[in-house]
Amino acid sequence: MSDSKQQSVLVVEDNELNMRLFCDLLDAYGYKTFQCRDGGRAVEIARREVPDLIIMDIQLPEVSGLDITRWIKDDAAIRHIPVLAVTAFAMRADEKRVREAGCEGYLSKPIQMRSFIKAVESLIASKAAA
C-alpha cells in the first residue's frame, strides 16, 4: 500500500458465514476490518472509526441497510465514506433502490471473490481521489 495508514473497512453483516468470508478476504488483502452485526450500531461505529469503506448488507434484522446508508449519507461527518451494498437481491429495480439510498457500489450474493476485491479497491481509490 502506498498509504502509510492501513486502510479500513466496516463490514455490516448479520450472517456469521458472510461476515467471516468478507473479513477473511479483506484481511488477506491488507485491510483492517471493523465488524458490526447490529445495523443500529453501524452509524456509531462509522463515526468512531471513520473507515475508508463500508460494506453494507441490505437485509438486516432490525433495520434495513438502505435506511442505515441514508443515515450515513445524512451525517456530514461520515457522508464521504463510500458504501458498497451486498445483497441477495439481484433485480435491476433493487440496484436502482440501492443507488438511490446513496450506495456507491452494489454486489449480489453469493459474491465472486475477484469482483468483490475489485469493487473494494475501486471505491477506496475513488474516495482517495475525491
Side-chain angles (χ1 to χ4, degrees), residues 112-124:
Q112 302 297 316
M113 285 188 269
R114 193 170 290 134
S115 56
F116 176 78
I117 290 300
K118 203 159 136 184
V120 166
E121 290 171 344
S122 170
L123 288 169
I124 288 178

Side-chain angles (χ1 to χ4, degrees), residues 6-18:
Q6 184 181 23
Q7 293 170 319
S8 62
V9 179
L10 169 59
V11 180
V12 183
E13 170 65 66
D14 65 316
N15 179 287
E16 192 59 42
L17 290 174
N18 288 334

